[in-house]
Amino acid sequence: MNTVVQARQLGKRYGRRRWALRDCTVDIPAGHVVGLVGPNGAGKTTLLKLAAGRLEPTSGAITVLGGPPADTPGQLARVGFVAQDAPVYTQLTVAEHLRLGARLNPRWDAGLASERAARFGLTPAHRAGRLSGGQRAQLALTLGLAKRPELLILDEPVASLDPLARREFMQGLMEATAEHAFSVVLSSHLVSDLERVCDFLVVLVDSRVLVAGEVETLLATHHRLTGPRRDPGRLPAGQQVICASHTDRQSTYVVRTDAPIHDPAWTVTPLGLEDLVLAYLDRRPAGDPRTPLAVRP
Amino acid sequence: MIEFYLDTRSGVSPYQQLVQQVRHALRLGLLGEGDQLPTVKEVVAHLAINPNTVLKAYRELEHEGLVAARQGVGTFVTATLAGTSLAAHGPLRLELRRWLAKARRAGLDEESIEALFLTTFRTPAQEDIA
Amino acid sequence: MIWLTWRQLRGSAIAMAAVLAVIGAVLLLTGPGMAARHTAGLADCAAQSTCLQFYDRFFGDYDTPFLAVSLLVVLLPAFAGLFWAAPMITRELEAGTHLLAWSQSVTRRRWLAVKLGITCLLAMAAACLCGLMVTWWSGPLDDSAPADLALVAPLVFGARGVVPMGYAAFAVALGVAVGMFVRRTLPAMALTLAVFAAVQIAMPLLVRPHLMAPVTSTFEIGPANVEGISVDRDGGGTPRIRLKSVTPGHPGSWVLANGILDPAGRPLADDGGGSAVPVSTTSGPCAPGAAFGACTTEINRLGYRQRATFHPLERFWPLQWIETGIYAALALGLAGSSFWAIRRRLS
């Protein structure tokens, strides 16, 4: 299967010390809507910028659509990028934004642009600075879609939008993916934003990729087991513990396994996507006791 | 034409919800042979969901022989689930109403009625499997 | 990209053009009249040999507009760097719109090249136009100006000829480079102004005198180069001679060093109030009541000479081109650092 983004031990360090992304290895197949989930500051924006060619990796390698994400017009034309908070030129009108897109992109789809502008109430003569947050996001998305990229990257596209605008934004995005075959990578710190739209998920925590895979496969291979208290060491070899919690009587595990679970002692319940991600976020490295929350001077 | 909806809290995956809603509409006679299902683009634009989810649901329905895709036109219903059972709906509903009235008279509240119904509904099913 | 850059600069470029057009019109209307008065006055004074007085009177009538237009030429490049170049980058960085621009199929290098190039060209065109207009207009005045406002003197040099174009290129490149590194509008503007002002002050004081080897010559002492003679009663009656910053026979030169040599060729000390020349003031030509000219003739006869290190007026254009070249090189260096920054630092 074609990969749109392939990262190998990818790392990015800002300044001397701060690693924004470290040892990131991930393959993102083509034809998916990929959700990049993680808490704020996990390195999502850095990974997206590396994929868009905005940043140069400090270590490792990344290929996007089969080539290095170089700063060349050819590669730029194939990759769309909608930055966080959907920046637009406040002094320019909607029409001027579309003109900008038409002039700067070889594969510009003027029909799509004007159709979307009309549908989302983007009056051509209005200055972009006067648009509502949702309309601004739609304008930025229109520019990203009408350039007809093979891969569209969106950095926290709905984080600053109200629920209605969020839904409209996702509707527009999904409609475009249904109509034109292209891959999408979008990030969010909220799983709920991505639950319906993503069929591939990458969870990024503390600048590392914790899990990546097709949503369906992830949901099929992760289970919550509840039952009498039991040591993790006594679980079958094929079951990888994602997170565990115990009371004196009861144990609750979230495990990843390809095989069905037959043990009658367990009550097995399926996990939703959000619970699955939370299980990974909750995970602490083995042997590392939960550090209590403390305010440091 | 039917309109889909999604219940995000149901715990049922979106594609299964779509499949169920088509089946349901077929059973209730809302959809009949020759009716067109919404296009993938329409569903996606309406629900803001991944197009692959809709495609998967439609493929499953096709696999079950309920619908067929016509290239470039859309997806059409080819079978019906209503059939003879539709005629029985009226009397059965009437009986159910009578039973509900009886239950209320016996002092059951809404929750108790629902619990009673569900446990009774599920018990024979489990016995059948066993 | 050219369209976008032009669209963003359009407003201020048109405003600038309008201001220049108004100034141009004013200069065009007043210039010929002033030049005619100058020509007529020169013809007049040559006949009566009162040209020094004519120069003073003529320049005195126009000194305010002279300073105003000169100041305008000096400030225009700073204005371009401050209000065009620095915010051009930082506004985009602050609003995040550079990300929108870079999301189009345009490389960052091209984005910067077009922005920098167009702004630079516009600023240079404005500065060049303004500089040449003012050079043309003030021709008669430059001819009549006192020594410290001579064409090649620091105060006027930067407001004439082609060098404003170099300043403009430098100011824009500086504004852009500072914007790249500082990333915030107000600090970037402040830093641009500070650096530009520092360079503009350092240039005439420290660099320009050495751009060409200055000429050192000795001149006879006479009314042309003596500002005044004072006799200090406490100083034993020795007269002190103050020299003008002029070089007899080389009008309009830029005097870098000036002093009096004694008959043996040693420089006399000058405490700012003049140099003491040991010549009798109790009797002879320098005695009180004697003619001013007689005294200077006497001093000259004794072997005292003016020694001046200077750039003659003829060096105006060579110096202009050299300095323009230096600023162009500085501008290129700053542009290079901007391109480095956009590759390495911005994202």
Side-chain angles (χ1 to χ4, degrees):
Chain A
M1 186 177 250
N2 284 335
T3 55
V4 285
V5 177
Q6 186 179 59
R8 291 284 170 271
Q9 277 94 45
L10 186 66
K12 175 68 194 173
R13 188 180 54 194
Y14 291 113
R16 290 266 164 123
R17 285 206 203 124
R18 203 171 74 77
W19 285 90
L21 193 70
R22 207 176 343 194
D23 205 18
C24 165
T25 295
V26 66
D27 283 304
I28 297 177
H32 284 281
V33 178
V34 180
L36 180 59
V37 194
N40 288 325
K44 301 190 295 290
T45 298
T46 302
L47 179 57
L48 294 182
K49 281 185 169 176
L50 284 163
R54 292 296 139 71
L55 287 176
E56 308 249 323
T58 311
S59 62
I62 181 168
T63 55
V64 174
L65 299 168
D71 192 22
T72 62
Q75 182 80 5
L76 286 168
R78 299 171 69 201
V79 181
F81 185 80
V82 177
Q84 203 162 356
D85 297 331
V88 292
Y89 289 103
T90 49
Q91 292 306 306
L92 265 58
T93 64
V94 169
E96 281 169 332
H97 274 91
L98 300 187
R99 193 168 163 200
L100 172 164
R103 283 178 167 265
L104 296 181
N105 295 291
R107 299 195 294 202
W108 183 255
D109 188 338
L112 186 151
S114 53
E115 187 270 328
R116 273 185 56 89
R119 185 144 49 97
F120 293 104
L122 302 169
T123 315
H126 275 185
R127 281 190 193 280
R130 296 270 186 84
L131 299 177
S132 68
Q135 285 179 316
R136 240 181 43 198
Q138 291 289 5
L139 177 58
L141 178 61
T142 301
L143 281 169
L145 289 174
K147 103 180 232 191
R148 296 298 299 276
E150 291 166 46
L151 166 66
L152 182 62
I153 297 172
L154 303 106
D155 190 5
E156 294 271 5
V158 295
S160 57
L161 302 182
D162 60 71
L164 185 65
R166 263 172 209 232
R167 190 175 165 89
E168 279 183 350
F169 187 92
M170 288 303 191
Q171 283 173 331
L173 179 62
M174 287 302 110
E175 193 181 344
T177 56
E179 199 165 10
H180 312 288
F182 63 98
S183 306
V184 178
V185 176
L186 72 167
S187 69
S188 177
H189 60 282
L190 295 175
V191 186
S192 55
D193 286 338
L194 305 176
E195 212 163 11
R196 286 179 166 199
V197 300
C198 291
D199 49 7
F200 196 96
L201 193 76
V202 177
V203 180
L204 197 64
V205 179
D206 284 343
S207 82
R208 291 167 198 271
V209 173
L210 281 191
V211 63
E214 286 197 38
V215 170
E216 213 175 293
T217 319
L218 291 178
L219 291 178
T221 52
H222 288 76
H223 311 274
R224 179 185 282 121
L225 311 180
T226 329
R229 190 180 166 112
R230 194 193 288 190
D231 260 5
R234 287 175 54 219
L235 289 174
Q239 295 180 3
Q240 182 198 350
V241 177
I242 306 304
C243 80
S245 64
H246 306 277
T247 64
D248 36 335
R249 296 266 178 94
Q250 197 186 38
S251 285
T252 305
Y253 286 103
V254 171
V255 296
R256 178 178 193 162
T257 175
D258 293 328
I261 296 163
H262 294 298
D263 193 333
W266 292 120
T267 307
V268 182
T269 43
L271 281 172
L273 199 58
E274 188 151 15
D275 290 337
L276 191 151
V277 172
L278 284 175
Y280 276 96
L281 295 186
D282 211 21
R283 184 156 77 149
R284 291 294 182 278
D288 177 20
R290 291 190 83 148
T291 43
L293 281 174
V295 183
R296 290 184 191 171
Chain B
M1 186 80 77
I2 60 164
E3 196 170 76
F4 291 110
Y5 59 90
L6 280 187
D7 181 357
T8 38
R9 285 188 206 139
S10 67
V12 181
S13 77
Y15 103 90
Q16 278 168 334
Q17 290 191 39
L18 297 185
V19 171
Q20 281 173 3
Q21 282 169 40
V22 171
R23 287 214 200 102
H24 194 69
L26 286 170
R27 271 197 198 96
L28 294 176
L30 295 173
L31 278 176
E33 251 181 272
D35 283 349
Q36 190 181 357
L37 293 184
T39 64
V40 174
K41 192 183 154 191
E42 282 165 354
V43 180
V44 157
H46 177 60
L47 296 178
I49 56 170
N50 191 303
N52 289 340
T53 308
V54 187
L55 285 171
K56 193 176 169 200
Y58 281 16
R59 266 203 305 274
E60 174 145 339
L61 289 165
E62 222 175 318
H63 189 70
E64 289 175 10
L66 297 176
V67 303
R70 279 187 233 155
Q71 200 68 45
V73 189
T75 308
F76 293 87
V77 176
T78 51
T80 175
L81 291 175
T84 49
S85 70
L86 197 58
H89 278 199
L92 282 170
R93 185 178 290 135
L94 197 67
E95 260 179 74
L96 196 54
R97 278 208 195 115
R98 280 195 197 121
W99 180 83
L100 283 171
K102 228 189 264 176
R104 284 199 190 94
R105 276 201 299 279
L108 274 69
D109 59 8
E110 302 288 312
E111 225 169 284
S112 315
I113 294 174
E114 200 180 326
L116 180 60
F117 175 80
L118 283 177
T119 41
T120 321
F121 181 72
R122 277 176 189 158
T123 315
Q126 279 172 5
E127 279 167 2
D128 286 349
I129 291 166
Chain C
M1 194 58 226
I2 294 171
W3 173 81
L4 174 62
T5 307
W6 169 242
R7 173 63 189 79
Q8 291 176 286
L9 263 182
R10 196 174 65 185
S12 47
I14 289 173
M16 173 71 88
V19 169
L20 284 183
V22 170
I23 292 168
V26 171
L27 295 183
L28 208 61
L29 287 175
T30 55
M34 188 173 70
R37 200 187 137 193
H38 181 248
T39 320
L42 273 188
D44 245 18
C45 75
Q48 303 160 23
S49 54
T50 52
C51 281
L52 284 179
Q53 288 88 330
F54 166 74
Y55 283 145
D56 281 350
R57 210 170 53 240
F58 178 70
F59 188 81
D61 288 350
Y62 289 102
D63 61 352
T64 310
F66 173 88
L67 289 174
V69 292
S70 299
L71 199 64
L72 179 85
V73 181
V74 172
L75 290 183
L76 190 134
F79 177 87
L82 204 58
F83 292 101
W84 287 4
M88 177 172 72
I89 300 298
T90 53
R91 288 230 178 90
E92 296 236 7
L93 296 182
E94 279 175 343
T97 46
H98 62 299
L99 294 175
L100 181 72
W102 298 352
S103 305
Q104 314 307 314
S105 312
V106 57
T107 63
R108 279 174 279 171
R109 284 188 300 278
R110 193 166 131 68
W111 176 81
L112 178 62
V114 172
K115 265 176 133 43
L116 183 60
I118 289 186
T119 313
C120 212
L121 283 180
L122 278 178
M124 280 168 72
C128 181
L129 188 69
C130 191
L132 292 180
M133 276 189 327
V134 168
T135 304
W136 168 78
W137 181 83
S138 57
L141 292 169
D142 288 333
D143 191 43
S144 326
D148 55 344
L149 292 177
L151 205 51
V152 77
L155 286 175
V156 180
F157 181 85
R160 296 291 184 273
V162 290
V163 78
M165 205 162 69
Y167 298 161
F170 168 69
V172 169
L174 176 70
V176 167
V178 168
M180 285 281 169
F181 286 94
V182 177
R183 303 187 191 200
R184 300 182 45 76
T185 302
L186 280 178
M189 285 172 77
L191 188 59
T192 302
L193 182 63
V195 173
F196 185 73
V199 171
Q200 288 296 70
I201 290 169
M203 189 71 194
L205 289 182
L206 305 174
V207 182
R208 195 184 298 148
H210 310 295
L211 290 182
M212 296 174 80
V215 181
T216 303
S217 286
T218 52
F219 301 96
E220 295 198 340
I221 288 180
N225 54 7
V226 174
E227 173 99 62
I229 302 175
S230 55
V231 179
D232 187 352
R233 292 186 196 286
D234 301 331
T238 313
R240 303 173 73 84
I241 298 185
R242 271 177 292 120
L243 287 175
K244 291 183 193 168
S245 287
V246 296
T247 48
H250 299 275
S253 54
W254 176 25
V255 178
L256 305 171
N258 204 4
I260 295 175
L261 298 182
D262 69 9
R266 288 179 306 243
L268 294 180
D270 186 339
D271 59 3
S275 305
V277 179
V279 56
S280 165
T281 51
T282 48
S283 63
C286 289
F292 177 71
C295 183
T296 53
T297 311
E298 172 65 10
I299 291 169
N300 201 42
R301 192 191 61 78
L302 289 171
Y304 291 93
R305 292 288 181 274
Q306 173 197 16
R307 185 174 67 178
T309 303
F310 64 101
H311 285 295
L313 180 60
E314 305 85 78
R315 291 195 172 170
F316 175 74
W317 283 107
L319 284 174
Q320 281 267 327
W321 289 116
I322 293 172
E323 189 163 324
T324 308
I326 289 173
Y327 274 90
L330 285 176
L332 283 178
L334 287 167
S337 72
S338 297
F339 280 101
W340 177 85
I342 204 166
R343 180 133 196 87
R344 296 278 155 209
R345 283 174 56 95
L346 290 184
S347 57

